[in-house]
Amino acid sequence: MQNAIVGGILASVACGVVGSYVVVKRIGYLAGGIAHSVLGGMGIAYYLGRPPIEGALVAALVFAVILGWVSLKMQEQEDTVIGALWAGGMAVGILFISQTPGYNVDLMSFLFGNILMISSDDLLWIAGLDTLILLIVFLFYKQFLALSFDEEFARLRGIPVERFYLLFLSLVALTVVILIQIVGLILVIALLTLPAAVSGLYVRSLNLMMLLATVLGVFFTTGGLALSYQPDLPPGPTIILLAGAFYLVSMVVTRFWKRA
Amino acid sequence: MSSVIKIKNLDFSYGGPKILENIDLDIQRNEFIGMVGPNGSGKTTLLKIIMGVLTPDKGSVNVLGNPPSQSVQEIGYMPQFTPFSRDFPISVEETVLMGRLGKTSSIGFYNSADKLAAEKAMNDVEILDLRKRVIGSLSGGQLQRVLIARALTCEPQIMILDEPTANVDMKVEKDIFDLLKQLNEKITIIVVTHDIGFISQYIDRVACINRTLICHPTSELTGETIENMYGAHMHMVHHHHEDEKNNHE
């Protein structure tokens, strides 16, 4: 239980910071493609008897670069190609899992995660990835901001836009790997975008948006855990539903607020 | 007077028919050039070549004595369309600071010199009191000023503005050109516009583009030539460069 709470807090940092960029740059679909295709890497790692997180990490980074390249070079067919890689990655994962000898792994825990099963090793992984993400964002905050705000202008100011875009998608990939530990890969995209989306309704600057999204992430993960504990519900979906409900209420409230 | 932009014998195509043909252009320091031409005539293409985004098929381009890609950081650019969404969570000051990219250090946050340059630019275009406002809350005219300030913050030697007054009313248009005229004392300015009648009191020369390019000193502009130059009747404009006459069909 203690690991679960710490895991939720650590994951919220990455999801608040990177999720805010994903929301303002509007690349939720691309991030979804990265998240789902990761199952391929997890399946292969499982087949080879390695920890699934290692496979997830490799697959997430590889798919981030492929999908980034696709979205830069083949803009007309971007959504088709993302869709194909999305489903293809998952299919590879399921095939490898099905061919793995021994007792059958709980596929559900890959897909929907289990925050209660987080080990101390997992926590170390998450903390390490958090540090890496924060460091990169700290170094290149202004480039990432310019890139998400006005790509053409950034290019004219001599920013190597393509390179930063791929670096940014790699951060998305790392974040996805962290969040899979919490809610599993099906629900990742909701936890990546909902705290930032709620936060974006209330604050009007990117750094505040990141801060509030992180706080909200902590609230959603610990709140979801608490709610699921007594009736013995799976925590992942409870966390997501809590976040989703909060988003809906926030949208309604801010609409009325603006009108009033 | 020294030349800041020198284009010789330039051709460009996007793989198909020529968009620009046989372009010669020599812009002197502190000139104020108006660029006109119908939609699709190659104005924005020519600007992109000057800024090194596109490479010509033929001919030479020289900006501040160097190839365009090396000089692009000395150019302040204001785009025709604002490609960003108006509800992006960003303040006026943060937007203006973006002009410092390429001049400031590549890692970490903006430093105090950047903040000073941004403050000066915001002061020059009279939006210093809006600095903390979110861009989504600005009027069209205010946003144009923010974009001019962003172009100014890099302390450019050349400013290129692609239809800076497309979405504002007459009063704001006059304010903006008065401001540009003031900036022109130190900076060479190229401005793309459709309203050539209005800006003729500000500019030194008009560059007419429709695949080929002809320059007219503003002293030659009369009501009739302005009318004719615009749209399909460009060939009727009288101009004094004998050798360029053939290109101006």
Side-chain angles (χ1 to χ4, degrees):
Chain A
M1 191 66 188
Q2 201 182 344
N3 278 359
I5 292 172
V6 174
I9 292 170
L10 287 175
S12 300
V13 174
C15 113
V17 172
V18 175
S20 295
Y21 279 124
V22 169
V23 168
V24 296
K25 181 119 177 95
R26 297 182 180 169
I27 52 166
Y29 185 56
L30 194 60
I34 296 173
H36 287 74
S37 50
V38 158
L39 186 64
M42 292 172 91
I44 293 172
Y46 185 70
Y47 181 77
L48 298 175
R50 306 286 306 169
I53 193 170
E54 289 179 10
L57 203 54
V58 173
L61 289 172
V62 168
F63 277 107
V65 171
I66 294 175
L67 289 169
W69 187 83
V70 164
S71 85
L72 287 169
K73 301 290 173 201
M74 320 172 56
Q75 272 159 8
E76 310 84 57
Q77 298 125 24
E78 185 184 348
D79 62 338
T80 314
V81 179
I82 291 175
L85 288 168
W86 177 315
M90 293 195 81
V92 168
I94 292 166
L95 284 182
F96 270 93
I97 292 168
S98 76
Q99 293 308 304
T100 303
Y103 67 91
N104 216 337
V105 68
D106 188 8
L107 189 61
M108 290 289 278
S109 79
F110 280 176
L111 296 182
F112 297 101
N114 196 344
I115 192 171
L116 293 169
M117 300 286 281
I118 285 184
S119 65
S120 312
D121 274 1
D122 292 334
L123 286 184
L124 278 180
W125 268 104
I126 296 176
L129 293 176
D130 260 346
T131 314
L132 185 62
I133 290 169
L134 285 181
L135 183 72
I136 293 175
V137 169
F138 197 77
L139 288 177
F140 301 118
Y141 179 84
K142 55 184 187 296
Q143 283 89 342
F144 288 138
L145 177 63
L147 187 67
S148 21
F149 179 64
D150 188 346
E151 196 177 307
E152 184 196 27
F153 188 83
R155 185 175 283 120
L156 287 171
R157 295 302 320 149
I159 302 295
V161 167
E162 282 82 11
R163 238 178 291 163
F164 274 104
Y165 187 57
L166 292 180
L167 178 62
F168 169 65
L169 290 183
S170 305
L171 294 186
V172 174
L174 297 183
T175 309
V176 159
V177 171
I178 292 177
L179 295 182
I180 284 176
Q181 314 300 313
I182 311 292
V183 290
L185 59 89
I186 302 281
L187 303 178
V188 156
I189 203 63
L191 196 55
L192 187 62
T193 53
L194 285 176
V198 174
S199 162
L201 293 171
Y202 295 102
V203 297
R204 303 272 71 196
S205 87
L206 189 62
N207 44 16
L208 279 181
M209 187 170 163
M210 290 174 172
L211 196 69
L212 182 58
T214 303
V215 173
L216 285 168
V218 172
F219 171 68
F220 294 149
T221 47
T222 44
L225 260 176
L227 285 176
S228 69
Y229 191 72
Q230 199 56 36
D232 197 23
L233 296 169
T238 315
I239 292 169
I240 297 303
L241 280 181
L242 178 64
F246 216 82
Y247 179 57
L248 278 180
V249 170
S250 292
M251 269 216 308
V252 174
V253 167
T254 47
R255 279 283 152 82
F256 277 109
W257 197 354
K258 267 177 198 160
R259 220 171 277 168
Chain B
M1 294 277 259
S2 61
S3 133
V4 289
I5 297 176
K6 210 173 190 124
I7 297 176
K8 267 201 185 127
N9 219 356
L10 176 144
D11 283 6
F12 181 86
S13 69
Y14 289 101
K18 283 181 182 168
I19 307 291
L20 295 168
E21 191 171 1
N22 222 352
I23 305 284
D24 284 297
L25 182 63
D26 194 336
I27 297 178
Q28 303 295 311
R29 189 167 289 280
N30 291 7
E31 263 199 297
F32 197 148
I33 303 274
M35 205 177 262
V36 296
N39 290 335
S41 58
K43 293 174 302 228
T44 304
T45 303
L46 183 59
L47 296 183
K48 284 187 173 168
I49 292 172
I50 292 173
M51 293 185 287
V53 177
L54 297 171
T55 319
D57 301 341
K58 188 177 118 233
S60 72
V61 185
N62 201 297
V63 180
L64 299 165
N66 288 310
S69 57
Q70 285 175 34
S71 301
V72 66
Q73 303 196 355
E74 297 303 322
I75 298 178
Y77 173 63
M78 176 178 169
Q80 175 181 6
F81 301 107
T82 47
F84 47 83
S85 96
R86 286 290 294 271
D87 57 14
F88 197 100
I90 189 169
S91 70
V92 167
E93 185 173 28
E94 286 174 299
T95 309
V96 172
L97 272 169
M98 245 169 239
R100 296 298 295 175
L101 291 170
K103 291 248 162 158
T104 181
S105 77
S106 56
I107 55 172
F109 298 93
Y110 294 105
N111 57 37
S112 52
D114 300 327
K115 301 228 164 99
L116 215 64
E119 198 169 305
K120 187 175 174 303
M122 287 187 285
N123 198 36
D124 285 349
V125 304
E126 294 166 15
I127 53 165
L128 198 54
D129 53 327
L130 303 176
R131 62 195 297 177
K132 296 293 173 203
R133 287 268 292 275
V134 185
I135 54 152
S137 69
L138 302 179
S139 70
Q142 288 170 330
L143 185 63
Q144 302 298 89
R145 282 171 186 271
V146 171
L147 296 179
I148 294 174
R150 182 176 72 164
L152 265 178
T153 359
C154 67
E155 292 157 344
Q157 300 190 44
I158 302 168
M159 264 182 95
I160 293 179
L161 304 97
D162 202 348
E163 297 193 32
T165 53
N167 302 308
V168 296
D169 61 35
M170 294 288 287
K171 158 93 175 63
V172 176
E173 181 174 25
K174 184 176 179 309
D175 289 348
I176 287 179
F177 273 95
D178 285 342
L179 169 71
L180 291 178
K181 191 72 198 168
Q182 232 176 315
L183 297 172
N184 182 229
E185 286 166 20
K186 289 180 196 152
I187 303 170
T188 311
I189 294 182
I190 304 174
V191 55
V192 173
T193 178
H194 284 302
D195 200 350
I196 200 68
F198 168 74
I199 67 156
S200 59
Q201 50 184 312
Y202 295 96
I203 58 179
D204 305 316
R205 279 196 296 163
V206 181
C208 294
I209 299 189
N210 198 354
R211 195 164 50 86
T212 57
L213 181 149
I214 292 290
C215 275
H216 305 274
T218 31
S219 56
E220 282 185 2
L221 293 174
T222 65
E224 194 194 349
T225 52
I226 289 165
E227 225 179 272
N228 289 338
M229 158 187 331
Y230 209 74
H233 303 292
M234 284 177 60
H235 60 282
M236 290 172 69
V237 179
H238 169 78
H239 47 80
H240 66 306
H241 302 295
E242 281 302 315
D243 53 342
E244 286 175 337
K245 221 169 203 166
N246 301 330
N247 299 331
H248 201 217
E249 290 301 315

